[in-house]
């Protein structure tokens, strides 16, 4: 049973690493950003609400985001564990996740903090903008997303660190190398091994 979070600035490689770890540990990777983008694409009610925030680089309101995650974590495939990518991002979301886990009599095993310096992150995001054309990957919006991350999400790492859960990983380098670093740190610091 493994329950992890991946925290780090936009562009640190969370989504890429989440995919690798999902395979290695045999658990679903749940990305709130992906779920929102899927809803935007399909023009659902949730998508219409989320889009205006996402396009500006702001966070979608906690009430919407928390409901979505509570629902997703009630699905049967998370019984064997899960990896949350991009949630929680605010103090209120941390409180909600604690409540959801308590309701399920479960707890987190580790919080993986992926680090990357700002220049590298902006470079990566601009590269992704050219490749994928994401609406929120323009330079202004990227800058705003980094600001919002620093203001609202970076402070959450301290609160998880005080619970002894944080594993800090350098997100720079080839994908497979970063994955190896994460797996090694999980084994050494948390006693968690891939399946
Ligand atoms: P991401 O792909 O994780 O960078 O998320 C893309 C966008 O989706 C973010 O900039 C937010 O607008 C929105 N989003 C994703 N996850 C959350 C969250 N946990 N709380 C609020 N907004 C979120």
């Amino acid at each position: 049973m493994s329950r992890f979070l991946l925290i780090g600035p936009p562009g640190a490689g969370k989504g890429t690493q989440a995919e690798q770890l999902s395979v290695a540990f045999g658990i679903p990777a749940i990305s709130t950003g992906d779920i929102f983008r899927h809803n935007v694409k399909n023009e659902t009610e949730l998508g219409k609400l989320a889009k205006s925030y996402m396009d500006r680089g702001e966070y979608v309101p906690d009430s919407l985001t928390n409901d979505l995650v509570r629902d997703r974590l009630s699905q049967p495939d998370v019984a064997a564990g899960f990896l949350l990518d991009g949630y929680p991002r605010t103090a209120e979301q941390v409180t909600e996740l604690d409540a959801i886990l308590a309701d399920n009599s479960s707890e987190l095993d580790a919080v993986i903090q992926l680090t990357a310096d700002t220049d590298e992150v902006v470079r990566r995001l601009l590269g992704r903008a050219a490749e994928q054309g994401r609406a929120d990957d323009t330079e202004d919006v990227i800058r705003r997303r980094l600001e919002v991350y620093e203001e609202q999400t970076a402070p959450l790492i301290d609160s998880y660190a005080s619970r002894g859960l944080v594993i800090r990983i350098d997100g720079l380098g080839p994908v497979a190398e970063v994955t190896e670093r994460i797996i090694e740190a999980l084994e050494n610091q948390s006693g968690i091994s891939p399946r």
Side-chain angles (χ1 to χ4, degrees), residues 82-160:
F82 57 79
L83 171 65
L84 279 171
D85 159 17
Y87 179 95
R89 269 169 145 115
T90 66
E92 223 177 285
Q93 293 178 15
V94 170
T95 304
E96 177 69 8
L97 179 60
D98 285 340
I100 295 170
L101 292 170
D103 288 348
N104 299 332
S105 309
S106 58
E107 18 183 77
L108 290 176
D109 297 299
V111 173
I112 303 157
Q113 177 194 1
L114 265 191
T115 64
D117 72 33
T118 307
D119 287 350
E120 171 65 14
V121 153
V122 172
R123 202 183 59 76
R124 282 189 193 180
L125 290 172
L126 287 172
R128 188 171 74 186
E131 280 164 27
Q132 300 177 6
R134 254 176 67 165
D136 59 352
D137 275 343
T138 62
E139 192 155 359
D140 283 354
V141 179
I142 288 170
R143 215 168 276 132
R144 181 61 192 148
R145 284 163 64 212
L146 287 166
E147 254 172 37
V148 174
Y149 173 81
E150 286 304 327
E151 281 165 18
Q152 301 205 45
T153 304
L156 308 180
I157 294 167
D158 281 346
S159 79
Y160 282 121

Side-chain angles (χ1 to χ4, degrees), residues 39-115:
N39 278 275
V40 169
K41 198 170 153 216
N42 291 306
E43 299 182 344
T44 66
E45 282 310 307
L46 175 65
K48 284 176 202 162
L49 285 166
K51 186 176 181 346
S52 59
Y53 297 96
M54 294 170 78
D55 284 352
R56 286 182 285 124
E58 304 293 338
Y59 285 167
V60 176
D62 286 328
S63 55
L64 288 177
T65 310
N66 285 337
D67 284 355
L68 177 152
V69 172
R70 187 175 271 278
D71 179 63
R72 182 64 188 84
L73 291 183
S74 71
Q75 306 295 316
D77 66 329
V78 303
F82 57 79
L83 171 65
L84 279 171
D85 159 17
Y87 179 95
R89 269 169 145 115
T90 66
E92 223 177 285
Q93 293 178 15
V94 170
T95 304
E96 177 69 8
L97 179 60
D98 285 340
I100 295 170
L101 292 170
D103 288 348
N104 299 332
S105 309
S106 58
E107 18 183 77
L108 290 176
D109 297 299
V111 173
I112 303 157
Q113 177 194 1
L114 265 191
T115 64

Side-chain angles (χ1 to χ4, degrees), residues 158-179:
D158 281 346
S159 79
Y160 282 121
S162 67
R163 304 187 201 178
L165 286 174
V166 175
I167 292 177
R168 198 181 146 98
I169 305 287
D170 181 358
L172 278 193
V175 171
E177 241 172 63
V178 177
T179 309

